[in-house]
Amino acid sequence: MPAERAGYTVTMFLVDISPSMGKTRQVSVPGKDGEDSDTIEMTNLEWALQFVMLKIQEMIFNGRKTDKCGVILFETNNVINEENGGYEHVSEYIPIEQPNATTLAQLQALEPSTVAGDPIDALIVAIETQDRYLGNKKTWTRKIYLVTDGENPIEVEDWEATAKKMNALDTQLVVVGVDFDDETFEEEDKSKIKRANEEFYHTLISKLERGVVGNCDYVLQEISRPDVREVKSTMSGTVLRVGNHDEKPDEAIEIMIKTSKCTALARPKSFKKFARRKRTAEEEEAAKEHMDVEEDEEKATFAQLRMRSEWYLEEDKVAGDAKTAGPHDEDAEDAEARADQEKRLVKVEKEELVRGYKYGASFVPAPEGEFPRLKTRKGMEICGFFPMQNFRRELSMGEVYYVWADPASPMQQVAVSSVVQGMSEQHVVAITRWVKSDDGDPRMGVLWPSVFEEIDCFLWVQMPFADDIRNFPFASLETLVNKRGEVIKEHPYLPNKEQMAAMDRFVDAMDLMEAGEKDEEGNRQPWFDTRMSYNPAIHRTKQAMFHAAIVQDLNTHPLPPPHPELTKYFEPPRRVLKRAQPAVDECKQAFNVREVPKKVARVRKDEHVRARDEDEDMLLLDRQPGPSQSQRATQSRTFAQSQKTSPLRSQKKPAGNDSGSETEPEPDEEDEEELLLDGARKPERAAPLPTPARSMSPEFKFDRARAPGRIVGFTYPLEDFRKNIERGDVVTKAVEDLAFVIKEAVVRPFAPRRFDEMVECMHELRRVSLMEDEIDAWNTFIQELKHKCLETEPGSKEFWEKVRSIGRPLSYISDSEAAKEGGKSSFTESEAQKFIQD
C-alpha cells in the first residue's frame, strides 16, 4: 500500500453491500489460553468491514481534527441522484465528518442488501461528494478506498474520464478486494464475472497516478504492522548568545535561531478509568415505582473517574483537661488505639495551605513571594567548549532538538554555518544554557555540530546538573588485595588466561554485524536495525485497543498474535546461535558452569518465616560472606541454652592444651584469606560465636537412599514426593522419580513388606498426576509396572494381583476424568476398565 501523508485528509470509503457480500467464510482466529487456532464463521461483509473500521479507528486514535471521512454504500441516496437522477443503488451512508465511536457503531450495524450497486457509480459519487466538501482547498489530501468482492457486473463505459478527473484532483484510489489474486494467493473456481472485474480494476489503477489493488487478507495483515508516527515539529524562534552582550557588547555575538524537535518520546495511549455509577436518591425512588420490571432488564451504568484532590488536617478530639489527666494503666497497643480514636480529620481549603520543601526530616515552608524566582532571559547561551571525545554518552537526557539558523535571514545562516564548521573542524562541543521563555526554568545541555549535505545545524540534548549526578563506587573486579596488603594474582574471583580467551571467542562468535540477510552483492548485512525495532508496549497496546473496538465478543474473536515485525528481534538469530555453540561449550567448561535449581520460597501453614539461605546475600569482592544478624542472634541463643543445660560440657578442655577449648577452636590462618579493596585494612574480627555444631552433638541424619540424579529416595518415598510437590517447580521430576521408585521397590527382596506402602504411593501418584496435568506420565507408568510385574524376571505377580484387586482407582486415567480437570487422555473409560481386569 502506498505511504500515507499526514496532514489535512478527507477519506471516502466505498463499501459493497451487495447480496454476494453475505456469503459466509471460515476465518482462522487464535485459540483460547494459548491453544491451537480455531475457526469461526462470518460473512464477507463482516470480514471486509474490519479493514474499514481499523482505518477509521486509526483516525480516532490520532485525534487530528483535520482527519475526516465519509462512507458510501451501493444503494440509492446521494446528491447526484437527488439533483439529476441516475446512479441508482448508491447511498451516502455517513457524511464527511470527523470520525468517532458512533461511526464504528454504524459500520457494525451494516448487513448485506437485496440489490447490487455499480462500483463505478459509487466512485463517481465519492469524487463529486469529496470535491463539493473541499471546494478550493487544494492542500488537502484526497483518498478513496473501494471495498468489494467483485462478484457483480460493472458498467465500464466512459471510465477513462473518471480516471482523468481523479488525476486532476490528485486523488488516491485503493481497491481492497475480497479473495483477489496476488503474488501469494490465487482463488480456485473463480467466476468469469469476478475474473473480468479484477482485470478491469488493474486496468483502472494503471491509468491513475496514485492507485493500488490489494487483497483483503493481505491488507488486514499489513494494517496491524507497527509503524512510527512521524510528526512535523513546529519551529520556535530564540537567540543564540556567545559572550556577555550586556556588559561587553563588542566581544559578544547574538545569532537568531530556530529550534524544532529531532526526536520525540512516544508513550502508550493512556486508559481512562470507569466505575459503576451509584444511583441517586431520585433514581432509587423511580426504581421502587417500577418493581414489576425484571432485574435482568436493569442495565448497569458506568461513569468515568476523574481526579480530585482534597486536603485534611489531623486534630485531637479530646479537650485539654482530658489530656492532662493522671496516668493510668494501659499497654502500648491500647494506648496506640486510643490515640487513633482521639484524632479526627478536618478538611482544609487549598488557599489555607502553604507550599513547603522537604529538607532532611523536616519541611521548610516557602510562601509565595518570599522566595523570588530566578531572573532569566529567553535564549541559548554558550558557557564553554570541550572536546567531543570527553563527552560521556550517559549524560544525554530526554529528547533531541534541531537548532537551525533563521530561514528568513541569510546573514544568520552564514553565522550559524561558520560556528558549526569551526566546532566540527576543532572536534569540540559546547555546553549551553537554554531558557525557553523569560523568567523560565533554565536547562543545561550540549550543542553538537552537525554538517549535512545541504545545511549546517546543531543538535541540542539536555544534560544533568551537577547535583543530579550520583556516583556509586563499586569494588574493583581486577585488583584484589589480601589482609597483608599484597596484590593477589591468582584467585577464583580473577579469570585466568584460558577463561579470558574463551570469553573473547564467545563475544566474537555472537557478533551481529554480519548475521542479517544478504544484499544484492551477496554480503551479509547487520541483523539489528534500529529503524525497524519497535516498542512492544506501544504497538501491542494499540493493536489490542483497535481489536476491541471492531469486534463484538472477545471470547469468540480473541486478540490475534502480534505482527511478526514486532517480535522479530525477540530471539537471537539461529545462524549466530549455531555459530556460537562451540564457544558456549568452551566457556561452560572453562568457567565450570552448572545449572543451579531454583529454590522456591513458600510460607508454612504455621506462619513460620523461611530462613534466608547463605547464597541469597550479595557476595562482595572486598569481604567474605559472614553470618547475618539473625543468624548471629540464633547462635547466641543456642549457645546460652547449651550453657544452662550442660555447663560441664562447655568447660571441658582437651588434655595437653590449656589455652584452647572444645567449643572455641583456634582459627586456622590458611583456611581462606580475607579480600580487601585497594589495600585498605579492616579491623580485626572478634572470635566467631559458637554454633550449634560446636556447642551440641550433631543431629543424626538418615540415609534416604536416593539414586544418583533422583529427588525421591527409597527410604521415605512418599514423604520425599510430597515435599517436592509442595515446592511447585519440580512436579514432573517428582512424578518421574516416584514412578521409578515404585517399579524398583516391588521387585526387590522382601518387597511384600512394603506392598501396602507402595499402593499408598500409587494412590498419591495418580492423584497428583491428574491434578497437575501429568496424565501421560501416569498412563505410561501403569503400563510399565504391569509389564515389569508379569512379564520380566524376577517380576512381582503378587503385587499386581493386589493392584488388580483394588481395581479401577489404580487403572488408566480416562479422557472423561482428564476433561473434568482440564486435561487430555488417549484412553477411554472402557479401555481403562479392561486394562485393570485383564
Side-chain angles (χ1 to χ4, degrees):
M1 297 179 64
E4 297 184 0
R5 297 180 299 180
Y8 302 90
T9 307
V10 172
T11 306
M12 302 298 298
F13 294 96
L14 313 184
V15 182
D16 186 359
I17 60 170
S18 59
S20 60
M21 292 291 284
K23 180 181 178 181
T24 59
R25 64 187 297 118
Q26 299 292 329
V27 179
S28 177
V29 296
K32 300 178 181 178
D33 301 329
E35 297 180 357
D36 297 336
S37 60
D38 197 2
T39 57
I40 60 175
E41 189 177 83
M42 64 173 61
T43 63
N44 286 338
L45 179 60
E46 293 175 337
W47 188 53
L49 280 177
Q50 291 185 9
F51 167 75
V52 180
M53 288 189 287
L54 284 172
K55 295 296 293 184
I56 294 178
Q57 177 73 355
E58 181 75 32
M59 301 178 187
I60 300 174
F61 183 83
N62 292 335
R64 289 194 294 259
K65 294 183 179 180
T66 54
D67 269 350
K68 300 184 178 183
C69 70
V71 179
I72 291 179
L73 310 179
F74 298 1
E75 287 183 338
T76 307
N77 181 13
N78 59 81
V79 293
I80 301 181
N81 179 267
E82 294 174 358
E83 296 178 0
N84 305 320
Y87 301 97
E88 302 292 336
H89 310 303
V90 178
S91 173
E92 187 177 0
Y93 184 59
I94 300 176
I96 297 177
E97 60 184 1
Q98 185 179 358
N100 50 35
T102 305
T103 308
L104 298 177
Q106 290 176 307
L107 289 173
Q108 289 177 343
L110 283 176
E111 294 182 357
S113 178
T114 56
V115 295
D118 194 316
I120 298 299
D121 290 347
L123 184 60
I124 295 174
V125 172
I127 296 172
E128 186 66 22
T129 304
Q130 197 177 56
D131 190 46
R132 291 189 181 187
Y133 180 83
L134 292 178
N136 297 325
K137 300 176 181 178
K138 297 182 179 180
T139 58
W140 285 59
T141 302
R142 306 175 186 226
K143 299 178 184 178
I144 297 178
Y145 290 91
L146 176 61
V147 182
T148 180
D149 61 353
E151 292 287 357
N152 299 289
I154 303 176
E155 295 292 338
V156 295
E157 298 179 358
D158 299 332
W159 62 269
E160 293 88 351
T162 303
K164 292 181 180 179
K165 182 68 176 294
M166 295 181 68
N167 288 333
L169 296 175
D170 193 22
T171 303
Q172 173 186 333
L173 175 63
V174 177
V175 179
V176 179
V178 177
D179 295 332
F180 276 23
D181 294 343
D182 59 8
E183 297 178 355
T184 60
F185 174 79
E186 184 175 355
E187 184 183 9
E188 299 178 358
D189 302 330
K190 182 175 295 187
S191 64
K192 294 181 179 180
I193 295 177
K194 186 171 184 178
R195 194 177 301 277
N197 289 342
E198 284 192 43
E199 294 178 358
F200 166 74
Y201 284 128
H202 285 282
T203 305
L204 173 63
I205 293 300
S206 65
K207 299 297 182 180
L208 297 178
E209 296 177 358
R210 301 176 60 204
V212 67
V213 178
N215 180 282
C216 186
D217 188 18
Y218 175 76
V219 297
L220 281 175
Q221 181 181 2
E222 287 299 299
I223 203 171
S224 63
R225 176 188 292 272
D227 59 339
V228 178
R229 179 185 173 189
E230 296 183 0
V231 181
K232 186 177 181 180
S233 177
T234 304
M235 292 195 297
S236 58
T238 185
V239 59
L240 177 65
R241 301 185 183 91
V242 182
N244 192 339
H245 191 272
D246 295 334
E247 298 181 1
K248 299 179 180 180
D250 297 337
E251 300 178 3
I253 302 175
E254 284 192 351
I255 305 175
M256 304 307 297
I257 58 174
K258 297 283 186 178
T259 61
S260 61
K261 284 188 176 182
C262 176
T263 61
L265 178 63
R267 293 185 177 90
K269 201 72 172 180
S270 60
F271 290 92
K272 297 179 180 178
K273 295 182 179 180
F274 290 83
R276 186 186 296 269
R277 189 174 67 85
K278 295 183 179 180
R279 290 181 176 180
T280 61
E282 294 77 6
E283 292 175 342
E284 290 288 348
E285 292 295 334
K288 292 180 180 178
E289 296 178 0
H290 300 80
M291 293 297 294
D292 54 335
V293 180
E294 296 183 0
E295 296 181 358
D296 296 339
E297 299 180 1
E298 182 182 347
K299 295 183 179 179
T301 57
F302 291 84
Q304 182 180 348
L305 299 179
R306 301 185 184 276
M307 181 69 70
R308 185 179 65 185
S309 300
E310 293 182 351
W311 290 267
Y312 292 88
L313 183 64
E314 288 187 355
E315 286 191 357
D316 295 337
K317 290 184 179 180
V318 297
D321 56 348
K323 293 182 180 179
T324 58
H328 57 280
D329 296 334
E330 62 177 359
D331 55 11
E333 295 182 359
D334 294 339
E336 184 178 356
R338 181 174 177 272
D340 293 339
Q341 294 177 358
E342 291 176 353
K343 291 181 180 180
R344 64 176 180 177
L345 297 178
V346 179
K347 187 176 180 180
V348 180
E349 298 298 331
K350 183 180 180 181
E351 291 74 13
E352 302 177 14
L353 300 177
V354 177
R355 182 180 298 276
Y357 295 92
K358 191 171 184 181
Y359 183 76
S362 60
F363 288 88
V364 178
E368 296 183 4
E370 295 188 11
F371 292 88
R373 294 181 59 86
L374 179 66
K375 292 294 182 180
T376 56
R377 183 173 54 171
K378 178 181 178 181
M380 282 188 179
E381 298 180 4
I382 295 180
C383 302
F385 300 90
F386 65 98
M388 287 183 179
Q389 64 268 20
N390 294 344
F391 177 72
R392 293 163 52 187
R393 180 64 182 82
E394 68 272 14
L395 297 182
S396 299
M397 297 173 54
E399 301 170 343
V400 182
Y401 288 81
Y402 285 118
V403 178
W404 316 92
D406 189 355
S409 177
M411 295 300 297
Q412 306 298 325
Q413 297 174 16
V414 173
V416 170
S417 179
S418 301
V419 179
V420 171
Q421 293 284 349
M423 293 175 59
S424 179
E425 292 178 2
Q426 297 297 324
H427 302 286
V428 296
V429 294
I431 297 180
T432 311
R433 181 175 181 262
W434 185 12
V435 180
K436 289 191 174 182
S437 59
D438 291 336
D439 296 332
D441 295 332
R443 294 191 296 172
M444 298 301 296
V446 57
L447 270 182
W448 198 282
S450 300
V451 180
F452 296 102
E453 294 182 359
E454 299 180 357
I455 193 172
D456 298 336
C457 64
F458 291 104
L459 294 179
W460 186 91
V461 62
Q462 185 177 356
M463 296 173 61
F465 289 97
D467 294 339
D468 298 330
I469 301 177
R470 299 291 183 269
N471 293 321
F472 298 97
F474 295 93
S476 174
L477 297 177
E478 300 178 350
T479 304
L480 291 181
V481 182
N482 62 9
K483 190 175 180 180
R484 303 180 183 88
E486 302 170 349
V487 178
I488 300 176
K489 298 298 183 180
E490 295 182 1
H491 193 273
Y493 291 164
L494 298 175
N496 52 36
K497 293 182 179 180
E498 179 186 358
Q499 293 172 339
M500 294 287 288
M503 185 56 64
D504 287 340
R505 285 188 286 271
F506 171 67
V507 174
D508 294 339
M510 292 296 292
D511 187 8
L512 299 176
M513 294 306 295
E514 297 181 358
E517 301 296 332
K518 294 182 179 180
D519 57 8
E520 298 178 355
E521 300 178 356
N523 300 322
R524 289 283 181 186
Q525 298 296 312
W527 175 72
F528 183 77
D529 188 353
T530 55
R531 298 170 298 177
M532 303 302 295
S533 177
Y534 305 98
N535 188 339
I538 295 176
H539 299 284
R540 184 60 170 166
T541 302
K542 176 182 174 182
Q543 182 184 7
M545 293 175 62
F546 282 23
H547 181 76
I550 68 171
V551 301
Q552 296 288 346
D553 188 0
L554 289 175
N555 292 324
T556 58
H557 299 72
L559 178 66
H563 196 276
E565 287 293 322
L566 191 62
T567 59
K568 68 178 182 179
Y569 292 136
F570 280 16
E571 298 293 337
R574 296 182 179 179
R575 184 182 299 105
V576 176
L577 292 178
K578 183 178 180 181
R579 182 181 62 193
Q581 190 60 45
V584 173
D585 297 337
E586 184 181 0
C587 283
K588 288 182 179 180
Q589 182 178 2
F591 290 94
N592 193 21
V593 178
R594 298 186 305 274
E595 182 179 359
V596 179
K598 183 179 179 181
K599 298 180 180 180
V600 180
R602 60 184 181 86
V603 180
R604 297 181 179 271
K605 294 182 179 180
D606 55 0
E607 300 181 355
H608 288 178
V609 180
R610 183 182 66 88
R612 293 176 59 84
D613 295 328
E614 294 179 358
D615 56 353
E616 288 183 359
D617 292 325
M618 184 181 297
L619 183 61
L620 301 179
L621 298 183
D622 59 342
R623 61 183 177 186
Q624 294 177 345
S628 62
Q629 183 178 359
S630 60
Q631 292 173 337
R632 290 195 297 266
T634 304
Q635 294 170 359
S636 301
R637 290 194 298 267
T638 306
F639 178 67
Q641 293 175 1
S642 64
Q643 291 282 358
K644 295 179 181 179
T645 54
S646 55
L648 296 179
R649 177 177 297 181
S650 61
Q651 298 174 1
K652 184 177 179 180
K653 300 180 181 179
N657 188 1
D658 297 336
S659 59
S661 68
E662 185 179 352
T663 58
E664 296 181 0
E666 183 177 356
D668 189 359
E669 295 182 356
E670 299 178 358
D671 287 346
E672 186 175 354
E673 294 180 330
E674 184 176 6
L675 304 180
L676 302 179
L677 174 63
D678 299 332
R681 298 183 59 85
K682 286 190 173 182
E684 296 293 337
R685 293 186 302 173
L689 293 173
T691 62
R694 293 191 180 101
S695 59
M696 295 184 295
S697 299
E699 182 181 358
F700 179 74
K701 295 183 179 179
F702 292 94
D703 182 11
R704 310 191 80 87
R706 293 192 182 98
R710 301 288 180 180
I711 61 177
V712 177
F714 285 91
T715 306
Y716 302 107
L718 191 56
E719 180 182 347
D720 293 348
F721 178 72
R722 287 172 175 168
K723 286 183 178 180
N724 286 284
I725 292 299
E726 289 177 359
R727 289 180 55 184
D729 58 340
V730 290
V731 175
T732 302
K733 178 65 174 174
V735 170
E736 175 188 346
D737 289 359
L738 182 58
F740 169 78
V741 169
I742 296 173
K743 289 184 292 185
E744 293 296 324
V746 298
V747 297
R748 285 188 173 187
F750 308 103
R753 298 180 180 179
R754 305 190 66 181
F755 278 177
D756 293 337
E757 181 186 359
M758 293 299 107
V759 168
E760 185 181 1
C761 290
M762 290 180 65
H763 280 290
E764 182 68 11
L765 179 61
R766 191 180 191 276
R767 183 189 68 82
V768 172
S769 300
L770 179 60
M771 300 297 294
E772 300 292 342
D773 197 17
E774 297 289 341
I775 299 172
D776 293 338
W778 166 264
N779 291 338
T780 303
F781 155 72
I782 199 66
Q783 285 180 335
E784 295 176 351
L785 179 65
K786 181 178 181 180
H787 178 269
K788 191 161 191 174
C789 290
L790 301 181
E791 300 180 12
T792 61
E793 293 296 335
S796 182
K797 296 182 179 180
E798 297 82 0
F799 181 74
W800 185 252
E801 288 298 330
K802 188 176 184 64
V803 173
R804 181 183 295 174
S805 63
I806 297 174
R808 181 66 185 85
L810 291 181
S811 184
Y812 289 138
I813 297 177
S814 64
D815 51 1
S816 58
E817 289 180 287
K820 294 179 181 179
E821 300 297 336
K824 294 182 180 180
S825 174
S826 57
F827 295 97
T828 62
E829 185 65 28
S830 59
E831 291 175 337
Q833 292 283 359
K834 183 178 179 183
F835 172 79
I836 200 65
Q837 293 174 0
D838 291 344

